[in-house]
Amino acid sequence: MEQIAKNEWAELCDRISKRLHGLRAEIEVQSLDLGDQIEAEFLPILGITYDHKDDVVVIALEGLAHLIPHPVDIQTKGYGDNIEAVLIVDKEGVRHLASFREPLKLPPPPAE
């Protein structure tokens, strides 16, 4: 994982959002109090934003907005614009892991 400097968070989120168009995301929340829990299982991703005024990261999925208030660390897995996952740690130490993948390619239905 590559740690991203705070002054690069907004630009990173914008860049990732453009790259993730058409992909699916799984969000796993990892906490000592709650354990590991899947919040979303590979829903279509609409985008990721960082609002520095409210100090919140928003991961927008189809039918779900996952808010991460007061992030203290953002790390990415992947190379260049090919981001496979983003790990965001909030001020409470809760880890929010968003993993990305292509949607399953199903064969076309048989011709009738």
Side-chain angles (χ1 to χ4, degrees), residues 19-20 76-79 81-86 98-101:
R19 161 66 181 96
L20 296 178
T76 59
K77 179 182 178 187
Y79 301 99
D81 286 337
N82 189 21
I83 302 294
E84 298 171 18
V86 175
S99 302
F100 312 111
R101 74 173 186 200

Side-chain angles (χ1 to χ4, degrees), residues 28-38 94-95:
E28 180 179 357
V29 179
Q30 305 164 343
S31 161
L32 290 176
D33 293 338
L34 302 172
D36 294 357
Q37 302 204 2
I38 303 295
V94 177
R95 299 164 48 97

Side-chain angles (χ1 to χ4, degrees), residues 12-77:
L12 171 76
C13 290
D14 290 343
R15 192 180 69 209
I16 290 174
S17 290
K18 290 174 186 168
R19 161 66 181 96
L20 296 178
H21 181 73
L23 296 183
R24 308 238 171 200
E26 176 182 74
I27 298 177
E28 180 179 357
V29 179
Q30 305 164 343
S31 161
L32 290 176
D33 293 338
L34 302 172
D36 294 357
Q37 302 204 2
I38 303 295
E39 175 146 350
E41 288 195 62
F42 295 106
L43 296 174
I45 186 161
L46 304 175
I48 300 176
T49 59
Y50 172 65
D51 180 347
H52 68 278
K53 290 180 184 176
D54 292 328
D55 194 28
V56 65
V57 173
V58 179
I59 302 174
L61 305 175
E62 191 171 281
L64 174 73
H66 182 76
L67 281 72
I68 305 163
H70 310 294
V72 296
D73 186 34
I74 296 180
Q75 299 177 29
T76 59
K77 179 182 178 187

